[in-house]
């Protein structure tokens, strides 16, 4: 039987530099001979990308918070079943830009939906969770500055107080899952952040 791959997720506010670190980690893992799959949420499959379009469409101002939470969970269910679980079973490393912690931070804390979000996500993922999560810590005001040049989606257009609650949510998750979630100061240099990630990965491999 093949050794199961590791499920690695990246979390943090918009504009916190996740993408850069994800690519550096992929290169590092591949240099060590590991197969890697990169993916993102919401998305990662044809069906999940269609759900993503519905969720992030700026015109959908009337979207109910519970509908939003369920759509993220639906996109995730498809992603887990079609991409993540099969890859892990094959022994492939899966690096995912956002996962259930995003729903906890944005929907449970940001939207104030609370524990129901955890329940629907446990159902959606069939209990699958990351082996390790790198959380890029960045104050919401700073994140907004970093993405100010690009066109904003429906979530990014939310007011600062929403993003403050998301930030508090991430801090709470970090406290609740200290063994899994590695908080990293996103204001560090690209190389310094990469080194923190590599150190943890060496422990896990
Ligand atoms: P995306 O452009 O992928 O985010 P990023 O800023 O990381 O590039 O957009 C995803 C948006 O959806 C982002 O604002 C976070 C939000 N989101 C949730 O609210 N809940 C979730 O479960 C996920 C996966 C994302």
């Amino acid at each position: 039987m093949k050794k199961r791959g590791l499920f690695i997720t990246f979390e943090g506010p918009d504009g916190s530099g996740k993408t850069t670190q994800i690519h550096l980690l992929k290169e590092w893992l591949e240099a060590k001979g590991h197969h890697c799959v990169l993916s993102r949420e919401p998305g990662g499959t044809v069906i999940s990308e269609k759900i993503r379009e519905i969720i992030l469409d700026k015109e959908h101002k009337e979207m109910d918070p519970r509908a939003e939470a369920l759509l993220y969970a639906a996109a995730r269910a498809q992603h887990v079943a079609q991409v993540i679980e099969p890859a892990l079973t094959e022994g492939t490393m899966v690096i995912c830009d956002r996962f259930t912690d995003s729903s906890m931070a944005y929907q449970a804390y940001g939207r104030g939906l609370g524990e129901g979000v955890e329940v629907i996500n446990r159902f959606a993922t069939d209990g699958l969770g990351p082996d390790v999560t790198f959380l890029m810590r960045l104050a919401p005001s700073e994140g907004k500055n970093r993405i100010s040049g690009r066109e904003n989606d429906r979530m990014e257009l939310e007011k600062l107080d929403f993003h403050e609650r998301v930030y508090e949510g991430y801090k709470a998750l970090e406290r609740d899952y200290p063994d899994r979630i590695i908080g990293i100061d996103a204001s560090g240099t690209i190389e310094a952040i990469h080194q923190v990630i590599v150190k943890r990965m060496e422990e896990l491999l």
Side-chain angles (χ1 to χ4, degrees):
M1 225 172 74
K2 279 187 188 145
K3 188 164 182 276
R4 194 174 161 83
L6 289 174
F7 183 23
I8 305 152
T9 61
F10 279 76
E11 294 284 349
D14 304 322
S16 61
K18 295 190 300 292
T19 315
T20 307
Q21 292 300 330
I22 285 171
H23 283 99
L24 286 174
L25 175 59
K26 180 173 186 274
E27 277 171 29
W28 184 83
L29 282 167
E30 286 176 347
K32 291 204 165 302
H34 298 285
H35 287 288
C36 288
V37 166
L38 282 193
S39 205
R40 67 159 183 188
E41 290 210 340
T45 73
V46 172
I47 293 172
S48 311
E49 291 289 338
K50 284 191 179 169
I51 299 174
R52 175 189 176 91
E53 282 173 29
I54 299 173
I55 301 174
L56 297 180
D57 191 333
K58 284 187 292 196
E59 302 300 317
H60 294 168
K61 293 191 182 65
E62 74 280 26
M63 190 179 291
D64 177 74
R66 286 167 196 270
E68 177 185 285
L70 287 162
L71 285 169
Y72 277 115
R76 181 164 299 129
Q78 187 64 32
H79 192 205
V80 168
Q82 196 182 334
V83 176
I84 300 176
E85 183 55 40
L88 294 173
T89 306
E90 271 296 297
T92 301
M93 304 283 172
V94 177
I95 309 176
C96 194
D97 186 345
R98 300 187 178 282
F99 197 65
T100 310
D101 294 311
S102 280
S103 283
M104 292 306 295
Y106 286 78
Q107 280 68 53
Y109 286 87
R111 300 284 189 221
L113 290 177
E115 284 168 10
V117 177
E118 201 175 336
V119 175
I120 59 171
N121 275 284
R122 208 175 305 127
F123 175 71
T125 60
D126 201 12
L128 177 75
D131 295 297
V132 61
T133 299
F134 297 106
L135 166 61
M136 310 291 281
R137 286 200 213 106
L138 185 72
S141 51
E142 179 61 19
K144 267 213 173 302
N145 288 341
R146 290 202 193 183
I147 60 170
S148 61
R150 66 187 201 207
E151 201 187 335
N152 289 334
D153 62 40
R154 196 175 57 85
M155 300 302 284
E156 288 161 351
L157 288 171
E158 282 294 333
K159 303 224 163 36
L160 195 56
D161 65 335
F162 172 79
H163 290 284
E164 298 278 3
R165 288 195 298 276
V166 171
Y167 188 62
E168 290 307 314
Y170 273 130
K171 282 206 258 184
L173 289 165
E174 205 185 325
R175 281 195 300 273
D176 290 347
Y177 302 98
D179 295 336
R180 172 176 63 87
I181 302 182
I182 312 296
I184 306 174
D185 181 355
S187 64
T189 65
I190 291 174
E191 187 48 34
I193 294 171
H194 178 59
Q195 285 313 319
V196 174
I197 293 169
V198 160
K199 186 162 168 281
R200 183 72 184 117
M201 288 309 302
E202 277 171 338
E203 291 164 2
L204 286 172
L205 285 169

